[in-house]
Amino acid sequence: MKAEIHALLQQALEALANDGILEANAELNIPVERGRDDSHGDFASPIALALARSARCNPRQLAEQIVERLPSSSVIGKTEIAGPGFINFTIQNGAYQSLASEILQADTRYGTSTLGEKQRIQVEFVSANPTGPLHVGHGRGAAYGAVVANLLRATGHEVESEYYVNDAGRQMDILAASVWLRYLQRCSETLTFPANGYRGAYIQTIADELHNQHGEAFRQPAKRVLKDLPADEPDGGDKETYIDSVIERARKLLGERSYRLIHGYVLAALVEEIRDDLLDFGIGFEQWYSERSLMDSGAVTTVIERLRDAGHLYEREGALWFRSTEFDDEKDRVVVRENGQTTYFASDIAYHLDKFERGFTRVIDVWGADHHGYVPRVRAALQALQADPDRLDVLLVQFANLYRGGEKVPMSTRSGEFVTLRQLREDVGRDAARFFYVMRKSDQHLDFDLDLAKAESNENPVYYIQYAHARIASVMRQTKEKGFRWQSADSFDVTGELVEDHELVLLRRLSRYPEVVEAAALSYEPHQLAYYLRELANDFHTYYNAHIFLVDAAPLRNARLGLINATRIVLRNGLTLLGVSAPDTM
RNA sequence: GCGCCCGUAGCUCAGCUGGAUAGAGCAUCGGCCUUCUAAGCCGGCGGUCGCAGGUUCGAGUCCUGCCGGGCGCGCCA
């Protein structure tokens, strides 16, 4: 309908141009909006306001001239000029009458579109370091990324979701060493745990499993492990230096093969846990991409060579630097360290180049907002490699703070003090967690009120929407019990029955759904859909309270059942996109 | 200090990218169950859109400067 009005206005403006009243302007963007207020009709365009100046006449007069030249249409019931020069359009009732049956026929397809024209888009999200279970901070990125991917799919994009596994860095070494030390303790060796080691209970669990599978194959006497190590932090030393020397000692005593085995074992255990966590959260990935594979394949060194050949690298203080300042970064960045190791950034350049080379028309990264300073250097690298940085969209997600009993819940990964995603799910349930995560704009801090999410009351917005769905399912059960029969085709020919204000409001709302999905997808803003569903549920509840659906007159009854089933479909489709279930009973 | 994000009702937040009288939920106050689920509905109260300038027919929205909050500024990832 919006497109129809757009086309009508376009024709009217062309006619005005032919009459010499307006200058012809093919590229003119004609705004068509939903009216904010019902008294403003269904759609409105401020086009006359926008053009008044160049046409040298007052907006209302111009609006009149536009309206005079509007071609006739079966969709438009009424046009009127209001306020300073808005053109308001009211859609003919008939145009809405067929909507319910259209939705019933389209069913799961209602709201989907071919807007994306099969563009291939990659959405990379979560990508948390596999150094422990996912916590609630990761949960938001997970929920957000998954819904963005869903929205893009619904609008006809070909989407591939991916998790980038940081399995090559120092953190992984610290992790492997931590597990090994716990394993040694399990073997009854006595040693104090490093200040900078990973302390979570899951470390001990993995160490125990390692012990079960491999016995004491990796046991070394504590004395040899600790011999001549520098002082740890509690003894006045530096914890970073200490942990590095522990890692070095582990490599030496175990030998590269055994060390790799433990490293790989720990990695696999954690990745598996993360994957299971996400699956239980309703999120699956098409691709798990290993950072180490980029190193093993030589992709990282290749990309460094390419940068060097293009003259973007230089040496300073023993390290190799990328001159990212040439591409608007704040400072140059190291790609190869003094010790010869490539940096995480070097991997990331290779990774992003690889994404582009895999043929995606667009690449989306969902990152925690604390990484925002990282964006310019990645774009800089892409530019330096002659790749178009505009094909990369980095979506930043602010942190979520948990509140319990009005108090902020403190969190820190290293200390092992954090609420895991699993705990959150067990605490408030998957639906509430998924909904709460995406109901705020992603660049807004999220105050996640655990008590509220758990509340089985009207304070909880998730239940409000689900309840509307359950109510409709209940009405359908009642329909059967009362001996009425209904199938969707029964509602196709009787839609002229829907004349109540509440019904028209609901129909109007349902007609907006595809626009909402489209807007939410293109702006990567799931919260728009969340708000829409709340409003739709509200319209339904109001209707429910105002009218009985199961009346004796079959045509009216069938029309109403058609309408509420259309509502059920939209509620379900929308909730599904958000990763929230649509229950039949509550 | 520099960079990015944010500041809208008592609280948590929308505001369709510059349009009409700034909207929801929660809280609070009042009303509605012999009828399809009251996890619901209807109504009331509640605002200097952080402050001050500027741009224009029009600014919560864009620009500048302050004030206040968050994050970032590693040869960590």
Side-chain angles (χ1 to χ4, degrees):
Chain A
M1 288 192 260
K2 195 172 180 173
E4 166 102 22
I5 289 169
H6 195 271
L8 293 174
L9 280 171
Q10 182 113 39
Q11 290 177 47
L13 291 176
E14 278 165 18
L16 271 176
N18 287 339
D19 296 348
I21 298 172
L22 273 181
E23 285 174 39
N25 184 354
E27 295 188 11
L28 181 69
N29 174 29
I30 304 170
V32 177
E33 307 159 352
R34 285 283 178 168
R36 277 199 188 160
D37 192 290
D38 287 347
S39 70
H40 297 149
D42 295 300
F43 292 91
S45 179
I47 184 67
L49 294 165
L51 293 178
R53 192 145 68 123
S54 62
R56 293 169 192 282
C57 61
N58 90 42
R60 284 195 70 108
Q61 277 175 8
L62 182 60
E64 276 171 41
Q65 287 172 311
I66 294 171
V67 170
E68 281 167 19
R69 286 168 180 78
L70 278 175
S72 67
S73 158
S74 59
V75 173
I76 309 296
K78 190 173 69 169
T79 53
E80 78 192 331
I81 295 155
F86 287 94
I87 305 172
N88 291 340
F89 298 87
T90 304
I91 299 296
Q92 239 167 31
N93 266 359
Y96 279 121
Q97 294 298 324
S98 57
L99 182 66
S101 53
E102 276 169 32
I103 295 172
L104 291 170
Q105 288 181 75
D107 200 8
T108 54
R109 289 190 320 277
Y110 183 67
T112 63
S113 67
T114 54
L115 186 76
E117 296 175 323
K118 300 254 171 180
Q119 274 187 75
R120 288 189 65 211
I121 300 188
Q122 188 213 43
V123 185
E124 181 220 322
F125 59 110
V126 191
S127 300
N129 284 353
T131 52
L134 294 175
H135 58 69
V136 293
H138 302 125
R140 190 175 188 191
Y144 176 73
V147 178
V148 167
N150 288 344
L151 286 167
L152 289 171
R153 265 185 213 107
T155 45
H157 300 85
E158 207 170 281
V159 178
E160 191 169 300
S161 58
E162 180 157 305
Y163 188 121
Y164 181 56
V165 185
N166 296 126
D167 50 6
R170 175 169 170 268
Q171 294 305 320
M172 278 307 301
D173 286 319
I174 297 177
L175 189 80
S178 300
V179 169
W180 185 54
L181 293 176
R182 288 298 189 207
Y183 163 91
L184 291 177
Q185 288 176 335
R186 176 73 173 68
C187 298
S188 308
E189 292 294 335
T190 318
L191 26 77
T192 49
F193 202 73
N196 209 23
Y198 285 94
R199 300 181 161 273
Y202 61 94
I203 298 294
Q204 187 68 59
T205 307
I206 297 171
D208 290 346
E209 285 166 9
L210 186 68
H211 189 268
N212 286 344
Q213 283 194 24
H214 295 271
E216 310 223 326
F218 308 119
R219 182 168 182 174
Q220 293 285 335
K223 251 188 198 164
R224 284 184 69 191
V225 175
L226 301 175
K227 189 168 179 261
D228 296 332
L229 289 183
D232 198 2
E233 194 173 61
D235 307 319
D238 177 60
K239 61 178 181 178
E240 303 290 352
T241 311
Y242 181 75
I243 195 79
D244 281 339
S245 58
V246 170
I247 292 167
E248 202 181 319
R249 181 63 48 89
R251 285 196 133 109
K252 204 166 158 194
L253 293 178
L254 286 163
E256 197 58 26
R257 216 174 130 205
S258 290
Y259 179 80
R260 274 283 138 233
L261 197 148
I262 293 177
H263 189 283
Y265 184 87
V266 174
L267 175 69
L270 285 166
V271 168
E272 193 179 339
E273 180 164 351
I274 288 170
R275 192 191 333 242
D276 289 348
D277 252 9
L278 288 167
L279 283 176
D280 289 342
F281 204 46
I283 297 169
F285 286 86
E286 268 113 31
Q287 204 63 239
W288 293 73
Y289 198 99
S290 152
E291 179 188 0
R292 177 163 287 281
S293 74
L294 285 168
M295 296 174 142
D296 293 347
S297 72
V300 177
T301 45
T302 304
V303 89
I304 290 171
E305 287 311 314
R306 276 184 63 178
L307 285 171
R308 191 206 301 273
D309 293 347
H312 297 299
L313 300 186
Y314 64 92
E315 248 174 89
R316 197 216 302 166
E317 292 159 10
L320 197 57
W321 297 70
F322 167 49
R323 199 177 283 110
S324 56
T325 47
E326 227 171 76
F327 305 95
D328 291 330
D329 195 10
E330 286 177 355
K331 50 177 84 168
D332 293 340
R333 312 289 174 178
V334 171
V335 286
V336 181
R337 284 181 275 203
E338 200 177 359
N339 66 9
Q341 287 186 340
T342 54
T343 58
Y344 171 82
F345 176 48
S347 299
D348 231 7
I349 299 172
Y351 179 44
H352 280 87
L353 189 66
D354 177 74
K355 291 185 184 200
F356 276 36
E357 284 171 351
R358 276 189 268 166
F360 297 107
T361 45
R362 203 150 19 117
V363 163
I364 295 173
D365 290 357
V366 177
W367 291 352
D370 54 334
H371 286 66
H372 66 78
Y374 199 78
V375 180
R377 80 189 70 167
V378 172
R379 290 192 185 286
L382 288 170
Q383 250 176 292
L385 292 164
Q386 316 277 319
D388 178 8
D390 289 339
R391 278 165 56 199
L392 170 70
D393 282 323
V394 180
L395 309 182
L396 300 174
V397 179
Q398 291 284 353
F399 280 132
N401 293 313
L402 290 189
Y403 287 82
R404 180 180 282 134
E407 301 258 322
K408 194 167 164 179
V409 182
M411 274 178 287
S412 144
T413 311
R414 191 64 63 82
S415 66
E417 243 187 87
F418 54 83
V419 180
T420 63
L421 184 59
R422 185 169 291 273
Q423 286 167 340
L424 176 73
R425 215 187 58 246
E426 285 164 359
D427 193 12
V428 308
R430 174 172 147 181
D431 287 338
R434 290 287 305 260
F435 190 87
F436 269 63
Y437 272 135
V438 296
M439 75 180 179
R440 299 277 177 251
K441 219 157 59 176
S442 61
D443 59 5
Q444 197 82 245
H445 289 272
L446 174 68
D447 288 339
F448 198 126
D449 186 334
L450 292 169
D451 304 316
L452 178 63
K454 241 191 318 195
E456 293 202 0
S457 74
N458 56 350
E459 295 165 40
N460 195 328
V462 194
Y463 292 119
Y464 184 85
I465 299 167
Q466 291 182 317
Y467 184 49
H469 186 272
R471 264 185 155 175
I472 296 168
S474 175
V475 171
M476 295 319 291
R477 287 190 295 272
Q478 283 292 318
T479 303
K480 223 180 212 171
E481 272 176 40
K482 292 193 174 178
F484 297 130
R485 249 180 275 156
W486 179 87
Q487 51 187 17
S488 54
D490 295 333
S491 300
F492 292 173
D493 302 326
V494 291
T495 46
E497 299 279 340
L498 302 176
V499 295
E500 300 289 344
D501 281 350
H502 290 112
E503 290 163 343
L504 295 176
V505 166
L506 195 49
L507 283 165
R508 216 174 265 154
R509 182 80 66 190
L510 292 171
S511 76
R512 289 193 52 178
Y513 178 68
E515 293 164 32
V516 171
V517 172
E518 199 173 300
L522 293 181
S523 55
Y524 310 129
E525 290 184 345
H527 76 278
Q528 289 191 28
L529 180 55
Y531 275 89
Y532 169 84
L533 291 175
R534 220 235 154 247
E535 285 160 1
L536 175 60
N538 183 24
D539 291 339
F540 169 75
H541 286 308
T542 301
Y543 179 38
Y544 181 96
N545 273 62
H547 299 281
I548 299 284
F549 308 145
L550 298 178
V551 294
D552 289 333
L556 181 58
R557 185 178 67 237
N558 287 336
R560 287 182 170 173
L561 288 176
L563 175 57
I564 66 168
N565 273 284
T567 305
R568 182 182 56 79
I569 286 168
V570 174
L571 286 169
R572 183 204 57 206
N573 291 357
L575 286 172
T576 303
L577 286 175
L578 295 182
V580 176
S581 71
D584 285 342
T585 56
M586 284 176 76

